[in-house]
């Protein structure tokens, strides 16, 4: 009780809200992202003229950060396999000069292509023929309208996870959809235990860390935000993961039989990060000794290149240092630009002949025919394409890229 009183007194509500306002997109940023979506969509429709291109995820729900990816799904493309579509799109984006830092992740539960649009430096995640993303976006928008604390808490936690590289589902992190479900369940649990709903965002943030770091028994109990129940026995729903019973189980609000937590195989690291945050925010001595010159939120949110360069807020002049003074050392950027296209399965040139489009990309690049292009591509790539399916100087192995090994070494110091 004493700790919560300290947090109530010192963790200023405006500190969280001002930081969320700082993260919110300006009119110019929103226009820039819309233009990037159009450029990428033009390339997609060049290959599949009759397909539908839909944006979902944080961009559609309004929960995106300055550095957030734009999630796109291609529907009704009639491709034989997602890998075929990903390869075709990787080549088209590269040849048309639209994208850089292209990663084709074909060996995954949901095969995707990740790339950065060159004009805006905005990152994209693109998949095929799964309409659950757009449906989930509508569910999230409705939940945000019903639970006012949801948006600010989600934005803070997304920054927290991103800075520790624990936000990508394909590398075992917690994605936005799962994070929203976790937050909804926590808010429901807190409000059910009190006569009136809790609205202090500082206390709710601390309670989130406490709940998922110390209180939830992930071995036996799963989390749900469906119906009236908040928890369930994993054994009753068949959500126990063989060999990894400790993983968090989160019932999909849209498809109750689906466990959206099972892909977060790095939950042990996520839980450790939550523990450290809870320990920091509930250390009375630490909070009191910060004084007026340092930010409480800055004890768990670090400055990074994107946040330091940003000028946000309603007047477009607010800086990170003015909002969270004394937030600690600057985090290094983890991206490397040496590689053009990375794949985690074999990049087969023979796929080119089965592309559904009428005209080939070879025509744009000056090749006389698709057959000639394929023959040339094979001869040129024979020394570059390795058995693990990588293209270029660096390898992208089945269990992740060379960057993942580098990240593992650095994660501990960010906890």
């Amino acid at each position: 009780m004493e700790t919560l009183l300290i947090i109530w007194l010192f963790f200023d509500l405006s500190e969280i809200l001002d930081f969320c306002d700082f993260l919110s997109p300006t009119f110019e940023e929103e226009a820039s992202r819309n233009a990037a979506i159009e450029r990428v969509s033009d390339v997609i429709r060049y290959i599949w003229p009759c397909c539908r291109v839909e944006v979902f995820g944080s961009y559609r729900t309004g929960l995106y950060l300055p550095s957030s990816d734009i999630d796109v799904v291609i529907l009704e493309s009639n491709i034989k396999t997602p890998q075929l579509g990903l390869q075709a799109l990787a080549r088209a984006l590269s040849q048309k000069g639209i994208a850089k830092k292209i990663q084709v992740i074909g060996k995954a539960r949901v095969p995707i292509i990740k790339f950065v649009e060159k004009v805006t430096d905005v990152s994209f995640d693109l998949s095929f023929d799964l309409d659950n993303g757009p449906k989930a976006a509508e569910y999230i928008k409705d939940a945000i309208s019903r639970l006012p604390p949801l948006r600010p808490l989600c934005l803070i936690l997304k920054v927290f996870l991103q800075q520790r590289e624990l936000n990508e589902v394909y590398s075992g992190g917690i994605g936005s959809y799962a994070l929203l479900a976790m937050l909804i369940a926590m808010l429901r649990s807190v409000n059910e235990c009190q006569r009136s709903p809790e609205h202090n965002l500082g206390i709710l943030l601390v309670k989130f860390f406490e709940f998922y770091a110390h209180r939830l028994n992930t071995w036996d109990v799963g989390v749900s935000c469906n119906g009236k129940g908040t928890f369930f026995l994993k054994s009753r729903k068949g959500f126990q993961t063989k060999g990894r019973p400790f993983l968090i189980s989160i019932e999909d609000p849209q498809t109750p039989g689906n466990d959206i937590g099972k892909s977060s195989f790095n939950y042990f690291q996520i839980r450790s990060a939550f523990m450290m945050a809870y320990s920091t925010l509930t250390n009375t001595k630490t909070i009191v000794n910060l004084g007026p010159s340092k930010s409480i939120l800055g004890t768990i949110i670090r400055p990074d290149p994107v946040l330091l360069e940003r000028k946000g807020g309603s007047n477009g002049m607010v800086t990170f240092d003015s909002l969270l003074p004394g937030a600690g050392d600057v985090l290094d950027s983890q991206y490397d630009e040496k590689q053009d296209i990375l794949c985690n399965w074999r990049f087969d040139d023979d796929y080119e002949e089965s592309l559904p489009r009428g005209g080939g990309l070879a025509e744009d690049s000056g090749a006389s025919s698709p057959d000639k292009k394929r023959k040339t591509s094979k001869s040129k790539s024979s020394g570059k394409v390795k058995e693990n399916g990588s293209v270029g100087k660096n390898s992208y192995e089945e269990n992740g890229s060379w960057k993942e090994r580098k990240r593992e070494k650095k994660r501990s110091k960010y906890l």
Side-chain angles (χ1 to χ4, degrees):
M1 181 64 69
E2 179 184 353
T3 301
L4 289 180
L5 178 60
I6 292 293
I7 295 170
W8 180 279
L9 292 173
F10 287 91
F11 210 157
D12 189 1
L13 175 66
S14 65
E15 183 176 1
I16 292 179
L17 293 179
D18 288 347
F19 186 63
C20 291
D21 186 46
F22 168 75
L23 294 173
S24 298
T26 63
F27 176 80
E28 292 77 14
E29 288 173 331
E30 193 165 358
S32 177
R33 284 186 171 238
N34 286 334
I37 291 170
E38 282 303 310
R39 285 189 288 271
V40 171
S41 297
D42 286 345
V43 176
I44 294 171
R45 294 190 183 100
Y46 167 81
I47 308 175
W48 301 283
C50 298
C51 74
R52 286 196 295 123
V53 180
E54 287 206 30
V55 177
F56 64 100
S58 60
Y59 187 74
R60 186 159 169 177
T61 61
L63 291 173
Y64 64 96
L65 305 176
S67 56
S68 287
D69 299 341
I70 294 177
D71 298 297
V72 178
V73 62
I74 301 175
L75 302 171
E76 301 173 12
S77 64
N78 296 319
I79 56 170
K80 293 180 180 178
T81 67
Q83 288 82 0
L84 171 60
L86 296 175
Q87 176 174 312
L89 188 57
R91 281 180 165 153
L93 291 167
S94 181
Q95 291 178 8
K96 287 184 172 292
I98 296 293
K100 60 183 179 180
K101 302 175 185 175
I102 302 172
Q103 298 179 57
V104 189
I105 304 170
K107 287 188 176 179
R109 186 175 62 86
V110 179
I112 62 171
I113 179 173
K114 300 174 72 69
F115 58 88
V116 176
E117 201 270 333
K118 282 188 176 181
V119 176
T120 59
D121 271 341
V122 171
S123 299
F124 280 75
D125 281 7
L126 194 144
S127 57
F128 281 87
D129 298 326
L130 294 173
D131 62 356
N132 56 335
K135 291 178 181 178
E138 294 306 309
Y139 171 84
I140 292 171
K141 288 169 68 175
D142 178 66
I144 291 171
S145 67
R146 291 185 288 104
L147 295 169
L150 197 56
R151 183 177 185 273
L153 290 175
C154 183
L155 289 176
I156 295 295
L157 289 166
K158 287 182 70 171
V159 174
F160 177 86
L161 291 169
Q162 184 185 70
Q163 291 192 338
R164 290 154 180 82
E165 299 181 7
L166 297 171
N167 64 312
E168 294 281 10
V169 178
Y170 82 92
S171 58
I174 293 285
S176 298
Y177 188 44
L179 180 62
L180 259 295
M182 292 167 68
L183 270 168
I184 293 171
M186 185 278 298
L187 291 172
R188 179 184 293 175
S189 175
V190 168
N191 291 335
E192 285 177 352
C193 297
Q194 299 179 355
R195 292 182 179 179
S196 59
E198 177 62 72
H199 294 295
N200 183 283
L201 295 176
I203 291 179
L204 289 174
L205 181 63
V206 171
K207 284 184 176 292
F208 176 90
F209 287 132
E210 179 189 26
F211 185 76
Y212 289 104
H214 297 291
R215 292 189 178 276
L216 181 64
N217 171 18
T218 57
W219 289 72
D220 303 308
V221 179
V223 177
S224 174
C225 56
N226 286 326
K228 296 182 179 180
T230 305
F231 310 105
F232 59 87
L233 287 176
K234 293 166 68 172
S235 58
R236 289 185 178 178
K237 289 184 177 290
F239 279 9
Q240 291 175 314
T241 305
K242 186 176 180 180
R244 290 185 286 190
F246 57 86
L247 292 185
I248 189 170
S249 287
I250 307 168
E251 186 179 52
D252 187 341
Q254 298 293 295
T255 311
N258 181 37
D259 178 6
I260 57 176
K262 63 184 177 182
S263 297
S264 300
F265 54 83
N266 274 334
Y267 190 72
F268 180 79
Q269 289 181 305
I270 296 166
R271 184 168 173 264
S272 296
F274 289 167
M275 284 181 177
M276 184 62 70
Y278 177 74
S279 176
T280 300
L281 292 176
T282 55
N283 189 319
T284 305
K285 184 177 180 180
T286 298
I287 294 174
V288 172
N289 288 342
L290 285 173
S293 61
K294 292 187 177 181
S295 158
I296 294 180
L297 189 59
T299 61
I300 61 169
I301 300 296
R302 302 271 294 281
D304 61 44
V306 173
L307 294 179
L308 287 176
E309 292 175 9
R310 181 172 181 75
K311 290 185 178 180
S314 57
N315 60 1
M317 295 301 292
V318 179
T319 65
F320 179 86
D321 288 334
S322 67
L323 281 176
L324 306 183
D329 298 331
V330 180
L331 294 175
D332 294 330
S333 176
Q334 298 297 312
Y335 246 129
D336 190 299
E337 300 197 33
K338 291 180 180 179
Q339 186 66 291
D340 182 35
I341 299 178
L342 293 168
C343 302
N344 73 340
W345 92 102
R346 189 164 183 85
F347 199 99
D348 192 348
D349 292 292
D350 288 335
Y351 280 164
E352 182 80 12
E353 62 188 10
S354 58
L355 293 182
R357 64 178 182 270
L361 285 172
E363 297 173 3
D364 292 339
S365 60
S368 59
S369 70
D371 290 335
K372 183 177 180 180
K373 178 181 181 296
R374 287 196 301 275
K375 185 176 180 180
T376 304
S377 298
K378 288 182 181 180
S379 63
K380 286 184 178 180
S381 64
S382 61
K384 294 182 180 180
V385 181
K386 303 175 184 179
E387 283 302 313
N388 61 7
S390 65
V391 181
K393 295 180 181 179
N394 302 308
S395 65
Y396 194 106
E397 299 174 337
E398 279 193 23
N399 63 344
S401 70
W402 59 273
K403 289 187 291 184
E404 293 301 320
R405 297 193 296 274
K406 182 179 177 183
R407 287 173 178 169
E408 289 294 333
K409 295 178 182 179
K410 292 188 175 183
R411 274 178 179 153
S412 59
K413 78 174 184 178
Y414 297 150
L415 295 177

